[in-house]
Amino acid sequence: MVKKIFTFIILATLVSCSSSKPAIATTKRAAEIQRTRVATTKKQAPIKPIAKNYPSTNNTTEVIQSTSKTVVNSDLINNYILQFKDIAMGNMQKYGIPASIILAQGILESGAGKGDLAMTANNHFGIKCHKDWLGESVRHDDDSEQECFRKYSEASESYRDHALFLVGKNRYASLFTYEKDDYKAWAKGLRACGYATDPNYPDKLISYIERYNLHQYDCLITGRNYKPFEKSAATKSTSTPNRSTSTPSRSIANSNSNDPNLYEVQKGDTLYSISKKFNLLVDDLKQKNNLSDNAISIGQRLKVK
């Protein structure tokens, strides 16, 4: 009887061991499968198209020379456009100034928001104080040393003041006779009215408008169809000289070419740099040449003695 009981215990033990082994094996297999699934998920994660809506572009670098020298790239300029395009379109609708011109001037005058005046004074258009300015101001070297420039609490105020500045000054009245979206006429008109002394100012504005397709924002206001510019067309416009400003100055330059009392304006010259060269005050130089503002052209001959 004892032998039978002992035999039964041994058989029961053997059955118990054999039934438990497959369960362990099954558990291990499930664990292996689970681990494999986790590893596969981690491996696939980086493939997700996170940047699908942000295609890479040729991020070229350039130097913008206005009231300060600023190094920018195309990504920075595109971000600047996205930030201020709605304000520019709003100003076009309210004041009649092309949004493309507003944005191009903002890019050029502020170094796409990274220039000294834009960073320290939120001044995106290089507007000086003038006699009627009652707000805050900063001092900055431009045509003369430590000139007075307007200061704003935020960039949007600079955009609004730019529109009011053009609308409120009689010298810019002729601009508003042009078509609202004729950015080429506006670019040349700004230079002719004395907004900037750089003879290449119109070409620079047109270049930004056509390279970055800023005219599309004019069309959104006017309701006209917009056609993006081809690279060849944009390049051609930047190399074309501004005949309305360069031709008259050349005719002046050809006269009295040997007169030591006259100085022919070179590329990069300003009234301030010329006055320093001949030990004159800017006001004296303007008085000698009957100049009402600081606008000068390459090839123009100025009395310096």
Side-chain angles (χ1 to χ4, degrees):
M1 185 67 182
V2 172
K3 183 184 281 189
K4 286 182 179 181
I5 293 170
F6 181 74
T7 303
F8 178 77
I9 292 171
I10 292 171
L11 289 173
T13 302
L14 291 173
V15 171
S16 174
C17 291
S18 62
S19 63
S20 63
K21 285 179 181 178
I24 294 171
T26 304
T27 304
K28 286 182 178 179
R29 192 178 299 113
E32 291 294 333
I33 293 170
Q34 183 65 27
R35 281 197 295 270
T36 303
R37 285 175 181 170
V38 171
T40 303
T41 303
K42 288 182 179 179
K43 188 175 181 180
Q44 290 179 344
I47 303 175
K48 294 175 75 175
I50 297 171
K52 185 176 180 182
N53 295 326
Y54 303 92
S56 59
T57 57
N58 184 17
N59 192 20
T60 55
T61 301
E62 64 180 283
V63 176
I64 296 178
Q65 182 72 55
S66 53
T67 51
S68 62
K69 185 177 181 180
T70 314
V71 179
V72 300
N73 57 46
S74 54
D75 281 352
L76 185 66
I77 293 175
N78 277 317
N79 289 335
Y80 183 87
I81 293 165
L82 290 174
Q83 185 178 358
F84 294 107
K85 63 181 178 65
D86 290 333
I87 295 177
M89 286 190 289
N91 283 1
M92 178 178 180
Q93 205 162 22
K94 187 172 183 178
Y95 300 105
I97 305 164
S100 59
I101 285 291
I102 297 170
L103 288 169
Q105 281 195 283
I107 293 167
L108 180 57
E109 297 287 351
S110 76
K114 298 301 180 181
D116 291 345
L117 281 174
M119 297 293 288
T120 60
N122 283 314
N123 189 329
H124 284 239
F125 296 92
I127 300 179
K128 297 177 183 178
C129 293
H130 301 285
K131 295 178 180 179
D132 57 345
W133 179 246
L134 301 177
E136 292 186 72
S137 64
V138 294
R139 294 286 172 175
H140 185 77
D141 290 350
D142 192 41
D143 293 323
S144 302
E145 291 180 327
Q146 293 297 288
E147 291 191 83
C148 183
F149 285 86
R150 301 183 181 190
K151 181 179 180 180
Y152 309 94
S153 59
E154 56 186 42
S156 60
E157 289 184 12
S158 177
Y159 269 75
R160 179 176 179 273
D161 193 45
H162 168 259
L164 294 174
F165 183 79
L166 294 182
V167 171
K169 299 288 184 182
N170 289 332
R171 68 191 295 184
Y172 300 114
S174 61
L175 295 175
F176 295 90
T177 63
Y178 306 140
E179 289 290 331
K180 188 183 289 188
D181 59 353
D182 189 351
Y183 63 87
K184 290 184 179 179
W186 273 80
K188 293 175 182 178
L190 281 165
R191 169 68 176 84
C193 292
Y195 192 99
T197 58
D198 183 359
N200 297 316
Y201 194 77
D203 290 333
K204 290 177 180 179
L205 294 182
I206 292 169
S207 173
Y208 283 121
I209 290 169
E210 297 185 350
R211 273 192 288 156
Y212 291 94
N213 291 301
L214 303 183
H215 185 50
Q216 64 180 302
Y217 303 116
D218 299 336
C219 294
L220 286 173
I221 300 301
T222 61
R224 296 180 181 178
N225 292 328
Y226 173 71
K227 293 182 180 179
F229 289 95
E230 296 180 1
K231 288 184 178 180
S232 57
T235 304
K236 184 177 179 182
S237 69
T238 60
S239 61
T240 304
N242 181 11
R243 299 184 185 280
S244 62
T245 58
S246 62
T247 303
S249 64
R250 287 298 174 190
S251 63
I252 297 171
N254 291 334
S255 62
N256 301 318
S257 58
N258 297 320
D259 192 337
N261 297 318
L262 297 177
Y263 172 77
E264 183 174 329
V265 177
Q266 306 297 313
K267 184 177 181 180
D269 279 340
T270 63
L271 284 182
Y272 177 65
S273 66
I274 296 170
S275 68
K276 288 294 184 184
K277 187 177 295 185
F278 292 97
N279 197 26
L280 294 168
L281 296 174
V282 172
D283 289 339
D284 291 341
L285 190 58
K286 291 168 69 173
Q287 187 175 5
K288 283 177 181 291
N289 294 276
N290 297 319
L291 298 176
S292 59
D293 53 41
N294 294 329
I296 54 176
S297 304
I298 295 175
Q300 183 178 352
R301 298 184 73 81
L302 300 175
K303 293 179 182 178
V304 292
K305 293 182 181 179

